[in-house]
Amino acid sequence: MRYQELLLVLLMLSAGSTLAPRESQAYVAAIHHHHQPVPHNGYTRSTAAYRIPDVKLIDANGAEVSLHDRLDGAPVILNFFFTSCTVNCPVMTAAFSEAQKKLRQDGTTVHMVSISIDPEHDSPAMLKKYAAKFGVGPSWSILTGTRDNSIALQRAFNAYRGDGMSHQPVTFLRSGRDQPWVRIDGFISADDLLNEYRKLVSS
């Protein structure tokens, strides 16, 4: 099945699910501010300024890392996932994998970060299997950690929906330190992700 066909099937499956209520406007306003979302092909794009806590996470080798160290001054593309997910995450991770491949062909290095929302299950060993399955390269950090730290980060990005069953596809891009984040809500293909990244770093 082609990527576009798989994406269409998964969109149809997810369309019937009930979304968890979004966090209150007061909480959202306290954490970040959004520019008006702009609809695109299957996703919406907005910008926001997030205050990201410097939590400690664990990589696929079992090493403790600082998220702020991973979110250095270089451009970054970030999302949330969990390895046992069978609907949203495989599509998002496949798009990351294809984008990584195309960026590598262009000689461009972009730091990618994927953070588990199910750290109690997603051990470093599970991350290694997942990374091997999707061809994760050295510029792509697959991270887990404690449940509290994972939730703190999801809340900081206004991506916390309570549990994996309510997990929604969302991707974040930033051109550099102290720059606003571009937030992509919905499924995005590798080509669209690359277009969004290139527009961001050229602006």
Side-chain angles (χ1 to χ4, degrees), residues 13-179:
L13 288 172
S14 64
S17 63
T18 300
L19 300 182
R22 290 190 176 272
E23 294 162 295
S24 69
Q25 289 298 316
Y27 175 75
V28 172
I31 297 300
H32 66 277
H33 61 274
H34 273 291
H35 290 257
Q36 185 67 28
V38 178
H40 289 266
N41 184 24
Y43 64 92
T44 58
R45 180 187 191 276
S46 58
T47 59
Y50 297 115
R51 294 195 291 271
I52 310 304
D54 188 17
V55 301
K56 302 299 182 184
L57 297 171
I58 306 296
D59 67 16
N61 294 315
E64 185 178 76
V65 299
S66 161
L67 182 61
H68 278 197
D69 287 345
R70 296 301 168 102
L71 301 180
D72 55 16
V76 63
I77 303 173
L78 180 147
N79 70 1
F80 293 94
F81 81 108
F82 59 108
T83 62
S84 59
C85 173
T86 58
V87 180
N88 295 343
C89 305
V91 177
M92 294 190 296
T93 307
F96 266 44
S97 181
E98 185 66 21
Q100 173 193 239
K101 185 187 304 181
K102 292 183 177 183
L103 286 165
R104 191 180 298 154
Q105 291 170 351
D106 294 343
T108 303
T109 300
V110 180
H111 197 177
M112 293 179 165
V113 177
S114 295
I115 301 169
S116 172
I117 66 168
D118 186 17
E120 291 156 328
H121 174 266
D122 289 342
S123 64
M126 293 299 296
L127 296 189
K128 270 199 169 177
K129 290 181 182 178
Y130 195 80
K133 179 179 178 181
F134 286 96
V136 171
S139 63
W140 184 356
S141 299
I142 305 287
L143 303 173
T144 187
T146 67
R147 181 175 181 273
D148 286 346
N149 283 350
S150 175
I151 290 176
L153 288 171
Q154 292 172 65
R155 288 189 183 278
F157 281 101
N158 188 26
Y160 183 61
R161 300 295 178 260
D163 58 41
M165 295 302 293
S166 301
H167 177 55
Q168 297 300 307
V170 59
T171 306
F172 305 89
L173 302 88
R174 192 179 69 177
S175 60
R177 192 186 302 276
D178 299 325
Q179 296 300 309

